Amino acid sequence: MKLTLYQIDAFTDRIFGGNPAAVCILDAWLDSALMQHIAEENNLAETAFVVQKNSVFEIRWFTPETEVDLCGHATLATAYVLFHYHGVPENTVNFHSPRSGPLSVERHSNGLLTLDFPTDLTASIRGISEINNAIGLTPIKTIKGKTDYLLIYNSQQEIEAINPNFHLLDQLDCRGVIVSAPGDKVDFVSRAFFPQCGIPEDPVTGSAHTTLTPYWSKVLDKTKLTAKQLSKRGGDLLCEYLGDRVKISGKAVPYLVGEIEI
């Protein structure tokens, strides 16, 4: 069996920036173990698989090691593929995730793509020594989300200087850890670490911004925010807090269109 595979750099306007995602548009679902093998072979942060059911596209996401509940950059990349290579005429693609429910991506004339995702459920908690030791810097606030912890710091310089102990991070009881602070030129900056998913540091994490956006919206008293993820590749995002939903916008560029044989 041969499948077309697309590789798209998401949350960037330049090649080799943002977060690369692989996308496979399927006629019918493959066995989960086979999709996991494909994702492992791709060895990217995420591989998205999509099957169209009437006017809705069912979507699932796999890291090299596991299937995940929600992925922003691979959803953005999938929408780019559907708009540019599969002739979707409408300006909105409606997705459905078995794990996260209805999602959508809207395209704009300026090249931006806007994710509409559910807001994460969060709670402020006392600091956890195991997390602080793994990150190597004690935060001023710790927040627990559905699958991740968010650690808040005072400055962008602190975020840039963090050098985590990935062995310790891999032992934590969570999907990953997000670190964030006010930005020098944007409203907030972040980095995100997911070693348990086979992703030591994620280049740009759309799903993390369902946790970050409501926090910074309340702190900064504004609903529309600019954000930057400070990984080596870097990523730029525009975020809007809508209560139970978050809109996350960015651009995408194609890197590869190929064929895999399985």
PDB file of all heavy atoms in Angstrom, residues 61-90:
ATOM      1  N   TRP A  61      -3.663  12.000  16.253  1.00  0.00           N
ATOM      2  CA  TRP A  61      -2.274  12.454  16.255  1.00  0.00           C
ATOM      3  C   TRP A  61      -1.402  11.460  17.008  1.00  0.00           C
ATOM      4  O   TRP A  61      -1.753  10.997  18.086  1.00  0.00           O
ATOM      5  CB  TRP A  61      -2.153  13.806  16.966  1.00  0.00           C
ATOM      6  CG  TRP A  61      -3.132  14.855  16.537  1.00  0.00           C
ATOM      7  CD1 TRP A  61      -3.016  15.733  15.492  1.00  0.00           C
ATOM      8  CD2 TRP A  61      -4.385  15.167  17.167  1.00  0.00           C
ATOM      9  NE1 TRP A  61      -4.100  16.577  15.436  1.00  0.00           N
ATOM     10  CE2 TRP A  61      -4.962  16.255  16.448  1.00  0.00           C
ATOM     11  CE3 TRP A  61      -5.067  14.653  18.267  1.00  0.00           C
ATOM     12  CZ2 TRP A  61      -6.187  16.815  16.805  1.00  0.00           C
ATOM     13  CZ3 TRP A  61      -6.286  15.195  18.617  1.00  0.00           C
ATOM     14  CH2 TRP A  61      -6.835  16.266  17.890  1.00  0.00           C
ATOM     15  N   PHE A  62      -0.223  11.197  16.443  1.00  0.00           N
ATOM     16  CA  PHE A  62       0.726  10.264  17.062  1.00  0.00           C
ATOM     17  C   PHE A  62       2.109  10.902  17.143  1.00  0.00           C
ATOM     18  O   PHE A  62       2.618  11.441  16.163  1.00  0.00           O
ATOM     19  CB  PHE A  62       0.839   8.978  16.234  1.00  0.00           C
ATOM     20  CG  PHE A  62      -0.388   8.111  16.276  1.00  0.00           C
ATOM     21  CD1 PHE A  62      -1.507   8.424  15.504  1.00  0.00           C
ATOM     22  CD2 PHE A  62      -0.433   6.969  17.069  1.00  0.00           C
ATOM     23  CE1 PHE A  62      -2.650   7.629  15.531  1.00  0.00           C
ATOM     24  CE2 PHE A  62      -1.567   6.165  17.096  1.00  0.00           C
ATOM     25  CZ  PHE A  62      -2.683   6.494  16.331  1.00  0.00           C
ATOM     26  N   THR A  63       2.717  10.845  18.331  1.00  0.00           N
ATOM     27  CA  THR A  63       4.131  11.153  18.475  1.00  0.00           C
ATOM     28  C   THR A  63       4.908   9.889  18.096  1.00  0.00           C
ATOM     29  O   THR A  63       4.306   8.850  17.793  1.00  0.00           O
ATOM     30  CB  THR A  63       4.475  11.551  19.920  1.00  0.00           C
ATOM     31  OG1 THR A  63       4.522  10.368  20.734  1.00  0.00           O
ATOM     32  CG2 THR A  63       3.458  12.534  20.493  1.00  0.00           C
ATOM     33  N   PRO A  64       6.246   9.925  18.119  1.00  0.00           N
ATOM     34  CA  PRO A  64       6.989   8.686  17.844  1.00  0.00           C
ATOM     35  C   PRO A  64       6.709   7.568  18.847  1.00  0.00           C
ATOM     36  O   PRO A  64       7.020   6.405  18.564  1.00  0.00           O
ATOM     37  CB  PRO A  64       8.453   9.140  17.940  1.00  0.00           C
ATOM     38  CG  PRO A  64       8.419  10.574  17.556  1.00  0.00           C
ATOM     39  CD  PRO A  64       7.145  11.104  18.149  1.00  0.00           C
ATOM     40  N   GLU A  65       6.091   7.899  20.007  1.00  0.00           N
ATOM     41  CA  GLU A  65       5.892   6.875  21.031  1.00  0.00           C
ATOM     42  C   GLU A  65       4.452   6.623  21.434  1.00  0.00           C
ATOM     43  O   GLU A  65       4.157   5.578  22.013  1.00  0.00           O
ATOM     44  CB  GLU A  65       6.710   7.240  22.279  1.00  0.00           C
ATOM     45  CG  GLU A  65       8.211   7.207  22.039  1.00  0.00           C
ATOM     46  CD  GLU A  65       9.013   7.405  23.303  1.00  0.00           C
ATOM     47  OE1 GLU A  65       8.407   7.469  24.392  1.00  0.00           O
ATOM     48  OE2 GLU A  65      10.249   7.500  23.209  1.00  0.00           O
ATOM     49  N   THR A  66       3.532   7.566  21.146  1.00  0.00           N
ATOM     50  CA  THR A  66       2.179   7.383  21.669  1.00  0.00           C
ATOM     51  C   THR A  66       1.157   8.229  20.911  1.00  0.00           C
ATOM     52  O   THR A  66       1.523   9.224  20.268  1.00  0.00           O
ATOM     53  CB  THR A  66       2.133   7.740  23.169  1.00  0.00           C
ATOM     54  OG1 THR A  66       0.876   7.374  23.711  1.00  0.00           O
ATOM     55  CG2 THR A  66       2.357   9.229  23.382  1.00  0.00           C
ATOM     56  N   GLU A  67      -0.111   7.845  21.001  1.00  0.00           N
ATOM     57  CA  GLU A  67      -1.203   8.681  20.496  1.00  0.00           C
ATOM     58  C   GLU A  67      -1.537   9.722  21.560  1.00  0.00           C
ATOM     59  O   GLU A  67      -1.554   9.421  22.756  1.00  0.00           O
ATOM     60  CB  GLU A  67      -2.428   7.833  20.186  1.00  0.00           C
ATOM     61  CG  GLU A  67      -3.571   8.635  19.559  1.00  0.00           C
ATOM     62  CD  GLU A  67      -4.736   7.780  19.093  1.00  0.00           C
ATOM     63  OE1 GLU A  67      -4.699   6.547  19.309  1.00  0.00           O
ATOM     64  OE2 GLU A  67      -5.689   8.337  18.506  1.00  0.00           O
ATOM     65  N   VAL A  68      -1.820  10.964  21.134  1.00  0.00           N
ATOM     66  CA  VAL A  68      -2.079  12.047  22.085  1.00  0.00           C
ATOM     67  C   VAL A  68      -3.506  12.579  21.926  1.00  0.00           C
ATOM     68  O   VAL A  68      -4.160  12.369  20.900  1.00  0.00           O
ATOM     69  CB  VAL A  68      -1.059  13.195  21.933  1.00  0.00           C
ATOM     70  CG1 VAL A  68       0.340  12.705  22.271  1.00  0.00           C
ATOM     71  CG2 VAL A  68      -1.101  13.790  20.531  1.00  0.00           C
ATOM     72  N   ASP A  69      -3.957  13.285  22.959  1.00  0.00           N
ATOM     73  CA  ASP A  69      -5.333  13.780  22.993  1.00  0.00           C
ATOM     74  C   ASP A  69      -5.554  14.985  22.087  1.00  0.00           C
ATOM     75  O   ASP A  69      -6.660  15.182  21.566  1.00  0.00           O
ATOM     76  CB  ASP A  69      -5.716  14.178  24.421  1.00  0.00           C
ATOM     77  CG  ASP A  69      -5.812  12.985  25.353  1.00  0.00           C
ATOM     78  OD1 ASP A  69      -5.862  11.844  24.850  1.00  0.00           O
ATOM     79  OD2 ASP A  69      -5.824  13.189  26.579  1.00  0.00           O
ATOM     80  N   LEU A  70      -4.536  15.821  21.932  1.00  0.00           N
ATOM     81  CA  LEU A  70      -4.712  17.072  21.197  1.00  0.00           C
ATOM     82  C   LEU A  70      -3.364  17.540  20.692  1.00  0.00           C
ATOM     83  O   LEU A  70      -2.364  17.477  21.407  1.00  0.00           O
ATOM     84  CB  LEU A  70      -5.312  18.139  22.128  1.00  0.00           C
ATOM     85  CG  LEU A  70      -5.707  19.477  21.497  1.00  0.00           C
ATOM     86  CD1 LEU A  70      -6.854  19.290  20.509  1.00  0.00           C
ATOM     87  CD2 LEU A  70      -6.099  20.485  22.576  1.00  0.00           C
ATOM     88  N   CYS A  71      -3.341  18.043  19.452  1.00  0.00           N
ATOM     89  CA  CYS A  71      -2.113  18.588  18.885  1.00  0.00           C
ATOM     90  C   CYS A  71      -2.452  19.768  17.995  1.00  0.00           C
ATOM     91  O   CYS A  71      -3.210  19.622  17.034  1.00  0.00           O
ATOM     92  CB  CYS A  71      -1.345  17.537  18.098  1.00  0.00           C
ATOM     93  SG  CYS A  71       0.147  18.218  17.333  1.00  0.00           S
ATOM     94  N   GLY A  72      -1.879  20.924  18.305  1.00  0.00           N
ATOM     95  CA  GLY A  72      -2.187  22.127  17.549  1.00  0.00           C
ATOM     96  C   GLY A  72      -1.435  22.229  16.248  1.00  0.00           C
ATOM     97  O   GLY A  72      -2.026  22.449  15.180  1.00  0.00           O
ATOM     98  N   HIS A  73      -0.103  22.046  16.277  1.00  0.00           N
ATOM     99  CA  HIS A  73       0.665  22.318  15.059  1.00  0.00           C
ATOM    100  C   HIS A  73       0.350  21.304  13.959  1.00  0.00           C
ATOM    101  O   HIS A  73       0.315  21.656  12.777  1.00  0.00           O
ATOM    102  CB  HIS A  73       2.168  22.368  15.369  1.00  0.00           C
ATOM    103  CG  HIS A  73       2.871  21.059  15.379  1.00  0.00           C
ATOM    104  ND1 HIS A  73       2.846  20.202  16.458  1.00  0.00           N
ATOM    105  CD2 HIS A  73       3.622  20.452  14.435  1.00  0.00           C
ATOM    106  CE1 HIS A  73       3.569  19.130  16.175  1.00  0.00           C
ATOM    107  NE2 HIS A  73       4.043  19.255  14.951  1.00  0.00           N
ATOM    108  N   ALA A  74       0.080  20.042  14.338  1.00  0.00           N
ATOM    109  CA  ALA A  74      -0.251  19.051  13.317  1.00  0.00           C
ATOM    110  C   ALA A  74      -1.653  19.266  12.749  1.00  0.00           C
ATOM    111  O   ALA A  74      -1.925  18.922  11.594  1.00  0.00           O
ATOM    112  CB  ALA A  74      -0.114  17.641  13.887  1.00  0.00           C
ATOM    113  N   THR A  75      -2.556  19.839  13.538  1.00  0.00           N
ATOM    114  CA  THR A  75      -3.879  20.197  13.024  1.00  0.00           C
ATOM    115  C   THR A  75      -3.771  21.367  12.058  1.00  0.00           C
ATOM    116  O   THR A  75      -4.416  21.391  11.001  1.00  0.00           O
ATOM    117  CB  THR A  75      -4.831  20.538  14.180  1.00  0.00           C
ATOM    118  OG1 THR A  75      -4.850  19.453  15.110  1.00  0.00           O
ATOM    119  CG2 THR A  75      -6.242  20.793  13.675  1.00  0.00           C
ATOM    120  N   LEU A  76      -2.958  22.351  12.412  1.00  0.00           N
ATOM    121  CA  LEU A  76      -2.703  23.476  11.505  1.00  0.00           C
ATOM    122  C   LEU A  76      -2.106  22.967  10.197  1.00  0.00           C
ATOM    123  O   LEU A  76      -2.533  23.374   9.097  1.00  0.00           O
ATOM    124  CB  LEU A  76      -1.754  24.470  12.174  1.00  0.00           C
ATOM    125  CG  LEU A  76      -1.700  25.875  11.579  1.00  0.00           C
ATOM    126  CD1 LEU A  76      -2.849  26.720  12.118  1.00  0.00           C
ATOM    127  CD2 LEU A  76      -0.368  26.550  11.910  1.00  0.00           C
ATOM    128  N   ALA A  77      -1.131  22.055  10.301  1.00  0.00           N
ATOM    129  CA  ALA A  77      -0.493  21.493   9.116  1.00  0.00           C
ATOM    130  C   ALA A  77      -1.491  20.711   8.265  1.00  0.00           C
ATOM    131  O   ALA A  77      -1.469  20.775   7.028  1.00  0.00           O
ATOM    132  CB  ALA A  77       0.668  20.593   9.529  1.00  0.00           C
ATOM    133  N   THR A  78      -2.382  19.968   8.916  1.00  0.00           N
ATOM    134  CA  THR A  78      -3.384  19.191   8.184  1.00  0.00           C
ATOM    135  C   THR A  78      -4.332  20.107   7.424  1.00  0.00           C
ATOM    136  O   THR A  78      -4.673  19.845   6.257  1.00  0.00           O
ATOM    137  CB  THR A  78      -4.173  18.296   9.151  1.00  0.00           C
ATOM    138  OG1 THR A  78      -3.264  17.428   9.828  1.00  0.00           O
ATOM    139  CG2 THR A  78      -5.207  17.471   8.402  1.00  0.00           C
ATOM    140  N   ALA A  79      -4.758  21.181   8.066  1.00  0.00           N
ATOM    141  CA  ALA A  79      -5.622  22.144   7.376  1.00  0.00           C
ATOM    142  C   ALA A  79      -4.910  22.737   6.173  1.00  0.00           C
ATOM    143  O   ALA A  79      -5.510  22.914   5.099  1.00  0.00           O
ATOM    144  CB  ALA A  79      -6.054  23.240   8.342  1.00  0.00           C
ATOM    145  N   TYR A  80      -3.620  23.042   6.316  1.00  0.00           N
ATOM    146  CA  TYR A  80      -2.846  23.567   5.182  1.00  0.00           C
ATOM    147  C   TYR A  80      -2.874  22.578   4.020  1.00  0.00           C
ATOM    148  O   TYR A  80      -3.089  22.957   2.860  1.00  0.00           O
ATOM    149  CB  TYR A  80      -1.404  23.839   5.615  1.00  0.00           C
ATOM    150  CG  TYR A  80      -0.562  24.458   4.526  1.00  0.00           C
ATOM    151  CD1 TYR A  80      -0.421  25.838   4.430  1.00  0.00           C
ATOM    152  CD2 TYR A  80       0.086  23.660   3.577  1.00  0.00           C
ATOM    153  CE1 TYR A  80       0.335  26.406   3.414  1.00  0.00           C
ATOM    154  CE2 TYR A  80       0.840  24.217   2.563  1.00  0.00           C
ATOM    155  CZ  TYR A  80       0.968  25.604   2.492  1.00  0.00           C
ATOM    156  OH  TYR A  80       1.714  26.161   1.470  1.00  0.00           O
ATOM    157  N   VAL A  81      -2.680  21.296   4.322  1.00  0.00           N
ATOM    158  CA  VAL A  81      -2.699  20.265   3.276  1.00  0.00           C
ATOM    159  C   VAL A  81      -4.067  20.195   2.601  1.00  0.00           C
ATOM    160  O   VAL A  81      -4.170  20.131   1.364  1.00  0.00           O
ATOM    161  CB  VAL A  81      -2.309  18.903   3.872  1.00  0.00           C
ATOM    162  CG1 VAL A  81      -2.598  17.770   2.881  1.00  0.00           C
ATOM    163  CG2 VAL A  81      -0.840  18.898   4.276  1.00  0.00           C
ATOM    164  N   LEU A  82      -5.123  20.210   3.401  1.00  0.00           N
ATOM    165  CA  LEU A  82      -6.470  20.111   2.830  1.00  0.00           C
ATOM    166  C   LEU A  82      -6.802  21.329   1.971  1.00  0.00           C
ATOM    167  O   LEU A  82      -7.415  21.207   0.905  1.00  0.00           O
ATOM    168  CB  LEU A  82      -7.500  19.955   3.952  1.00  0.00           C
ATOM    169  CG  LEU A  82      -7.416  18.632   4.724  1.00  0.00           C
ATOM    170  CD1 LEU A  82      -8.331  18.661   5.940  1.00  0.00           C
ATOM    171  CD2 LEU A  82      -7.776  17.453   3.824  1.00  0.00           C
ATOM    172  N   PHE A  83      -6.409  22.505   2.393  1.00  0.00           N
ATOM    173  CA  PHE A  83      -6.658  23.719   1.617  1.00  0.00           C
ATOM    174  C   PHE A  83      -5.842  23.749   0.328  1.00  0.00           C
ATOM    175  O   PHE A  83      -6.358  24.093  -0.739  1.00  0.00           O
ATOM    176  CB  PHE A  83      -6.325  24.963   2.444  1.00  0.00           C
ATOM    177  CG  PHE A  83      -7.336  25.301   3.503  1.00  0.00           C
ATOM    178  CD1 PHE A  83      -6.924  25.614   4.792  1.00  0.00           C
ATOM    179  CD2 PHE A  83      -8.698  25.314   3.221  1.00  0.00           C
ATOM    180  CE1 PHE A  83      -7.848  25.947   5.779  1.00  0.00           C
ATOM    181  CE2 PHE A  83      -9.632  25.637   4.201  1.00  0.00           C
ATOM    182  CZ  PHE A  83      -9.205  25.953   5.480  1.00  0.00           C
ATOM    183  N   HIS A  84      -4.569  23.373   0.405  1.00  0.00           N
ATOM    184  CA  HIS A  84      -3.651  23.599  -0.715  1.00  0.00           C
ATOM    185  C   HIS A  84      -3.485  22.390  -1.634  1.00  0.00           C
ATOM    186  O   HIS A  84      -3.125  22.564  -2.808  1.00  0.00           O
ATOM    187  CB  HIS A  84      -2.280  24.027  -0.188  1.00  0.00           C
ATOM    188  CG  HIS A  84      -2.273  25.402   0.401  1.00  0.00           C
ATOM    189  ND1 HIS A  84      -1.996  26.528  -0.338  1.00  0.00           N
ATOM    190  CD2 HIS A  84      -2.526  25.836   1.656  1.00  0.00           C
ATOM    191  CE1 HIS A  84      -2.069  27.603   0.435  1.00  0.00           C
ATOM    192  NE2 HIS A  84      -2.393  27.211   1.654  1.00  0.00           N
ATOM    193  N   TYR A  85      -3.725  21.184  -1.121  1.00  0.00           N
ATOM    194  CA  TYR A  85      -3.482  20.000  -1.941  1.00  0.00           C
ATOM    195  C   TYR A  85      -4.733  19.162  -2.189  1.00  0.00           C
ATOM    196  O   TYR A  85      -4.738  18.330  -3.088  1.00  0.00           O
ATOM    197  CB  TYR A  85      -2.413  19.114  -1.290  1.00  0.00           C
ATOM    198  CG  TYR A  85      -1.066  19.776  -1.183  1.00  0.00           C
ATOM    199  CD1 TYR A  85      -0.634  20.331   0.018  1.00  0.00           C
ATOM    200  CD2 TYR A  85      -0.203  19.846  -2.282  1.00  0.00           C
ATOM    201  CE1 TYR A  85       0.610  20.949   0.127  1.00  0.00           C
ATOM    202  CE2 TYR A  85       1.036  20.452  -2.189  1.00  0.00           C
ATOM    203  CZ  TYR A  85       1.435  21.008  -0.983  1.00  0.00           C
ATOM    204  OH  TYR A  85       2.663  21.616  -0.887  1.00  0.00           O
ATOM    205  N   HIS A  86      -5.768  19.352  -1.407  1.00  0.00           N
ATOM    206  CA  HIS A  86      -6.973  18.533  -1.553  1.00  0.00           C
ATOM    207  C   HIS A  86      -8.192  19.351  -1.935  1.00  0.00           C
ATOM    208  O   HIS A  86      -9.318  18.847  -1.879  1.00  0.00           O
ATOM    209  CB  HIS A  86      -7.218  17.729  -0.265  1.00  0.00           C
ATOM    210  CG  HIS A  86      -6.296  16.549  -0.134  1.00  0.00           C
ATOM    211  ND1 HIS A  86      -6.696  15.251  -0.377  1.00  0.00           N
ATOM    212  CD2 HIS A  86      -4.984  16.483   0.177  1.00  0.00           C
ATOM    213  CE1 HIS A  86      -5.669  14.441  -0.200  1.00  0.00           C
ATOM    214  NE2 HIS A  86      -4.622  15.162   0.138  1.00  0.00           N
ATOM    215  N   GLY A  87      -7.990  20.594  -2.299  1.00  0.00           N
ATOM    216  CA  GLY A  87      -9.039  21.403  -2.924  1.00  0.00           C
ATOM    217  C   GLY A  87     -10.238  21.711  -2.064  1.00  0.00           C
ATOM    218  O   GLY A  87     -11.340  21.884  -2.602  1.00  0.00           O
ATOM    219  N   VAL A  88     -10.083  21.764  -0.740  1.00  0.00           N
ATOM    220  CA  VAL A  88     -11.211  22.153   0.105  1.00  0.00           C
ATOM    221  C   VAL A  88     -11.583  23.600  -0.221  1.00  0.00           C
ATOM    222  O   VAL A  88     -10.765  24.507  -0.060  1.00  0.00           O
ATOM    223  CB  VAL A  88     -10.851  22.017   1.600  1.00  0.00           C
ATOM    224  CG1 VAL A  88     -11.947  22.621   2.468  1.00  0.00           C
ATOM    225  CG2 VAL A  88     -10.638  20.548   1.947  1.00  0.00           C
ATOM    226  N   PRO A  89     -12.788  23.839  -0.718  1.00  0.00           N
ATOM    227  CA  PRO A  89     -13.133  25.180  -1.199  1.00  0.00           C
ATOM    228  C   PRO A  89     -13.528  26.157  -0.097  1.00  0.00           C
ATOM    229  O   PRO A  89     -13.381  27.371  -0.259  1.00  0.00           O
ATOM    230  CB  PRO A  89     -14.313  24.928  -2.142  1.00  0.00           C
ATOM    231  CG  PRO A  89     -14.971  23.695  -1.587  1.00  0.00           C
ATOM    232  CD  PRO A  89     -13.857  22.859  -1.004  1.00  0.00           C
ATOM    233  N   GLU A  90     -14.061  25.646   0.995  1.00  0.00           N
ATOM    234  CA  GLU A  90     -14.514  26.522   2.067  1.00  0.00           C
ATOM    235  C   GLU A  90     -13.309  27.136   2.789  1.00  0.00           C
ATOM    236  O   GLU A  90     -12.187  26.662   2.669  1.00  0.00           O
ATOM    237  CB  GLU A  90     -15.372  25.755   3.078  1.00  0.00           C
ATOM    238  CG  GLU A  90     -16.676  25.182   2.508  1.00  0.00           C
ATOM    239  CD  GLU A  90     -16.466  23.842   1.830  1.00  0.00           C
ATOM    240  OE1 GLU A  90     -15.322  23.318   1.874  1.00  0.00           O
ATOM    241  OE2 GLU A  90     -17.431  23.320   1.234  1.00  0.00           O
TER     242      GLU A  90
END
